[in-house]
Amino acid sequence: MKYYIIAGEASGDLHGSNLIKELHHNDHEAVIRCWGGEKMQAAGATLVKHYRDLAFMGFVEVLKNIRTIFSNLAFCKEDILAHQPDVLILIDYPGFNLRIAKWVKAQNIRVVYYISPQVWAWKENRVKMMKQCIDQMLVILPFEQPYYQTKWNWNVEYVGHPLMEEIDRFKSEDAQTLQHTGNHSKPIIALLPGSRKQEILKKLPVMLEVSKQFPDYQFIVAKAPGLDSSFYDELLTPYTNVSYVSNQTYSLLHHATAALVTSGTATLETALFEVPEVVCYKGNEISYQIAKRLINIKYISLVNLIMDKEVVKELIQHEMNTENLTQELRAILPGAEKRAHMLQHYKQLRAVLQAGGHASSAAAKAILSGIKAV
């Protein structure tokens, strides 16, 4: 069987790599071609294009790079036609992937979507088109299955959240040491400012200023894959109690006392490592103002969305400043009452997600069953 998989972000590369391993486990003759990253390549797929060449965030940034985006779309279509896969598997990344899905469906190639676009947050009108061009939707958030069924009369499959298996696997390994250049005697506060240069430049400088208020702690930044060390060196030089680590985000979270985390998958990863966190978002002002008027959700962090209540504090745009961050960080350090409450909510979150089972295995089996049923 020939599979073509498209992931456009670091998290998609991670989940795609685990899916690829399970596809190979269930289909020993699988031939897999992908858009993604090193993890998907290492799992046994032929890498066509790296996600770092695809990542454009926000309305303004997309407009600036519109030519590159259209060029990537054209190249992707040519490559799919040349290799004629039995199934196209799309992982999140909806701006690009939904365009490809619509085109591929017209080519009579089966379309599977793993990790649903967040249409429950915005652009709900996409669902009508999605139902027409997606043969099989596999969702990873527990509230998504009833959302699609109740509101859109669409039977989608809930396969569990892939982060559960990834973090449990990490915790079961022996090698959990953290290699860093900081002060090994001070407790750690983790800084997770994102994976794209443009979002890091908005958030990390504010996070770094907070470090001055906590001399008894060391702050360690999780460096994004694909970004040069010199980029971080320039930002961190003025701060004596800040360092960074590369390719050690899970080790960092495993050892951290608390964390400042940009919105996205990292907020859920931090919670599953049971690290009290403050969620931070700051973006291009024009993009933010547009998004604020279009997005229809109560929270921006996956932790709060899944639990349907404020478990972690979210500081968004102008609220994300040094004073607020300092105050909220103090409130979740050891000895603080808010910390104990947050950790209790984390246990409830884990129980909710554990009910879904092993996502990568369930997704691979569902994909194969869907192909055989055609």
Side-chain angles (χ1 to χ4, degrees):
M1 205 76 71
K2 291 195 293 184
Y3 306 82
Y4 201 106
I5 306 177
I6 303 175
E9 299 169 302
S11 60
D13 182 35
L14 171 64
H15 302 323
S17 69
N18 289 327
L19 177 64
I20 288 166
K21 291 171 191 173
E22 292 294 337
L23 286 171
H24 278 302
H25 178 73
N26 288 278
D27 179 2
H28 300 303
E29 296 181 1
V31 176
I32 303 174
R33 194 168 175 84
C34 76
W35 290 41
E38 290 84 0
K39 288 183 172 66
M40 291 172 75
Q41 187 175 35
T46 300
L47 182 64
V48 180
K49 192 171 273 285
H50 201 285
Y51 66 78
R52 65 171 164 258
D53 300 325
L54 307 172
F56 304 110
M57 183 183 180
F59 300 97
V60 175
E61 292 78 9
V62 167
L63 286 172
K64 285 180 181 176
N65 293 281
I66 198 73
R67 283 189 179 179
T68 303
I69 292 167
F70 280 121
S71 174
N72 285 335
L73 282 165
F75 173 69
C76 185
K77 291 173 183 178
E78 289 173 12
D79 201 54
I80 290 170
L81 278 181
H83 292 276
Q84 287 295 306
D86 295 289
V87 60
L88 171 72
I89 303 169
L90 304 169
I91 301 178
D92 200 3
Y93 195 51
F96 187 92
N97 276 342
L98 287 177
R99 285 182 173 86
I100 292 296
K102 190 174 182 179
W103 176 83
V104 165
K105 185 63 179 174
Q107 313 307 311
N108 294 316
I109 296 170
R110 182 172 178 80
V111 179
V112 176
Y113 216 115
Y114 175 46
I115 307 179
S116 167
Q118 295 176 351
V119 287
W120 35 265
W122 75 312
K123 290 193 176 180
E124 275 194 314
N125 59 326
R126 285 175 163 178
V127 180
K128 291 177 183 176
M129 179 272 283
M130 288 162 59
K131 283 184 71 175
Q132 292 172 354
C133 66
I134 296 169
D135 298 291
Q136 187 176 28
M137 172 70 82
L138 308 176
V139 301
I140 65 168
L141 296 172
F143 61 80
E144 289 179 321
Q145 190 175 38
Y147 164 80
Y148 280 116
Q149 179 61 58
T150 305
K151 190 156 189 176
W152 299 98
N153 192 30
W154 189 7
N155 290 320
V156 305
E157 299 169 66
Y158 174 52
V159 294
H161 203 293
L163 278 183
M164 290 295 297
E165 68 202 55
E166 189 65 23
I167 290 171
D168 287 346
R169 184 186 298 118
F170 175 86
K171 286 181 175 180
S172 69
E173 293 173 353
D174 294 329
Q176 296 173 351
T177 56
L178 180 65
Q179 305 293 330
H180 65 95
T181 57
N183 187 324
H184 288 257
S185 64
K186 288 184 178 181
I188 294 168
I189 293 173
L191 302 181
L192 278 65
S195 58
R196 301 180 182 96
K197 186 178 285 189
Q198 61 210 28
E199 66 175 336
I200 293 169
L201 287 171
K202 287 284 185 185
K203 297 163 195 163
L204 185 54
V206 185
M207 294 177 175
L208 292 174
E209 278 298 302
V210 174
S211 69
K212 294 176 179 178
Q213 307 300 318
F214 298 89
D216 295 332
Y217 288 84
Q218 60 176 316
F219 289 67
I220 301 181
V221 180
K223 178 178 172 289
L227 291 182
D228 292 337
S229 298
S230 58
F231 170 71
Y232 292 91
D233 290 335
E234 190 174 337
L235 289 168
L236 270 56
T237 298
Y239 304 94
T240 56
N241 62 332
V242 186
S243 58
Y244 64 80
V245 293
S246 302
N247 301 313
Q248 295 186 80
T249 301
Y250 279 9
S251 291
L252 174 58
L253 289 173
H254 184 71
H255 289 86
T257 300
L260 305 181
V261 188
T262 195
S263 56
T265 306
T267 64
L268 185 56
E269 290 173 312
T270 304
L272 292 175
F273 271 99
E274 299 178 50
V275 179
E277 65 184 301
V278 183
V279 174
C280 312
Y281 177 82
K282 197 179 190 75
N284 175 285
E285 184 62 27
I286 297 172
S287 293
Y288 169 71
Q289 290 299 332
I290 295 170
K292 191 169 74 167
R293 287 158 176 77
L294 295 177
I295 293 175
N296 184 34
I297 48 173
K298 288 188 285 185
Y299 308 108
I300 63 167
S301 69
L302 284 172
V303 176
N304 292 344
L305 284 166
I306 293 168
M307 297 299 289
D308 196 26
K309 59 185 175 184
E310 188 183 84
V311 173
V312 296
K313 181 66 176 179
E314 299 177 352
L315 296 176
I316 304 171
Q317 204 66 2
H318 302 298
E319 290 184 353
M320 189 200 161
N321 55 53
T322 306
E323 183 181 351
N324 288 344
L325 265 182
T326 300
Q327 179 182 325
E328 293 299 330
L329 180 55
R330 268 209 184 93
I332 59 171
L333 290 177
E337 187 178 358
K338 188 172 182 178
R339 179 184 180 90
H341 288 155
M342 194 178 291
L343 291 172
Q344 190 58 43
H345 287 310
Y346 282 176
K347 286 184 171 61
Q348 296 168 12
L349 172 71
R350 176 170 276 275
V352 168
L353 292 178
Q354 275 178 329
H358 190 286
S360 299
S361 175
K365 288 172 182 173
I367 291 165
L368 287 165
S369 295
I371 293 170
K372 290 173 184 175
V374 175

